[in-house]
Amino acid sequence: PAVEAAKRLAGYAAVDRHVGLDQKFIGIGSGSTVPYVVDRIVAQGKAANRDRVFIPTGFQSKELIIKAGLTLGDVDQYPDLDVTIDGADEVDDELNAIKGGGACQLREKVLAEAAKVWIMVADYRKNSKVLGTTWTQGIPIEVAPFAYAKVLTNLAHMGSPSVLPNGKPGLSLRMGKMKAGPVVSDNGNFIIDAPFPPEMMENALELLHRIKMLTGVVEVGLFCHMAKAAYFGNEDGSVSIRT
Ligand code: DER
């Protein structure tokens, strides 16, 4: 309940600050925090939402918009957004983020770049200094299925460990839980989770560029120098805002 309350705090605060009547074209991200963003937008009332269009970052986000009775749009029709609000798996003190826990990072990054303002919302667990401190599962990387084995090998050569210091699996192809075989993204690709040691995560932008250049990589779950602000709900009912 403390985490849910914190997610709600972050979602509400971000909407109150960044979704006004001037914001018509709004990107909605993925995960368990953005439903509070949508709730807060719906609470602004029918008149406020009548002329707005909401663009999703994937299946879950699309369903959220439809169920909320908001107008659904596509990034093809609305390539320039006023604001996109999305969750994050971890955020460092320079507003770099690990994203892709929900395997939606390709469309999320497209909508992040399409927006004049990109905002992250998260509970206190995601508020970090160096990426990889709290989100230890690794950087989610969307890869073309044909190339996944080669990309795994290249990531291992780059220094991604197959076993974490705590003994848990490290570098790996993300497997389905209630589905035999690997997770398949909304774009029909696989996801590799690649942890890296702290000294490599400290330079997230350099790591992003090195990973993105590997043949077969479609998109990397590192969002560097993109966010205008991150809103963290705290256990004590306060909200921390990093800009
Ligand atoms: O995949 C993502 O990047 C999503 O935004 C998600 O992982 C955010 O996490 P949340 O469910 O804690 O909001």
Side-chain angles (χ1 to χ4, degrees):
V3 169
E4 282 310 310
K7 288 172 182 288
R8 182 182 301 109
L9 279 169
Y12 284 18
V15 168
D16 293 353
R17 175 71 187 72
H18 296 281
V19 182
L21 293 180
D22 292 344
Q23 280 66 45
K24 300 278 184 214
F25 307 114
I26 300 169
I28 298 294
S30 325
S32 60
T33 306
V34 290
Y36 296 109
V37 169
V38 172
D39 287 350
R40 194 63 166 181
I41 290 173
V42 169
Q44 291 185 354
K46 289 199 180 313
N49 288 308
R50 187 174 35 241
D51 301 334
R52 285 174 173 160
V53 181
F54 295 85
I55 294 84
T57 53
F59 181 88
Q60 179 233 346
S61 170
K62 185 179 76 167
E63 292 298 293
L64 198 54
I65 292 167
I66 292 171
K67 287 194 172 68
L70 297 170
T71 306
L72 184 68
D74 200 299
V75 70
D76 303 3
Q77 300 163 287
Y78 305 98
D80 300 311
L81 307 180
D82 294 313
V83 59
T84 292
I85 304 181
D86 201 347
D89 295 309
E90 188 176 14
V91 183
D92 73 12
D93 52 9
E94 293 172 357
L95 279 182
N96 299 312
I98 292 178
K99 282 178 61 52
C104 297
Q105 69 268 28
L106 171 59
R107 298 189 187 193
E108 289 172 336
K109 197 174 278 190
V110 170
L111 294 200
E113 291 181 350
K116 295 185 187 74
V117 169
W118 185 57
I119 300 294
M120 289 185 281
V121 290
D123 61 77
Y124 51 88
R125 298 171 305 167
K126 320 306 186 71
N127 187 349
S128 192
K129 291 218 175 313
V130 177
L131 295 180
T133 309
T134 56
W135 181 267
T136 55
Q137 297 92 307
I139 302 167
I141 302 164
E142 182 158 341
V143 299
F146 177 79
Y148 91 89
K150 287 297 293 170
V151 173
L152 275 173
T153 306
N154 291 333
L155 289 166
H157 290 159
M158 274 178 65
S160 181
S162 55
V163 180
L164 295 176
N166 62 12
K168 289 188 179 171
L171 176 65
S172 52
L173 178 65
R174 189 180 297 182
M175 303 307 282
K177 291 220 176 8
M178 301 294 283
K179 172 193 177 290
V183 164
V184 178
S185 75
D186 292 339
N187 313 302
N189 297 313
F190 290 169
I191 303 291
I192 287 173
D193 291 298
F196 283 93
E199 58 275 13
M200 293 180 77
M201 297 297 268
E202 277 169 356
N203 193 333
L205 188 61
E206 181 193 340
L207 191 52
L208 164 58
H209 291 160
R210 289 182 64 193
I211 297 171
K212 186 71 184 277
M213 288 306 288
L214 298 175
T215 301
V217 168
V218 175
E219 192 46 67
V220 184
L222 285 175
F223 286 49
C224 298
H225 310 318
M226 297 177 72
K228 183 172 180 60
Y231 287 70
F232 301 99
N234 297 316
E235 288 179 286
D236 63 2
S238 66
V239 176
S240 301
I241 304 172
R242 182 175 300 148
T243 55

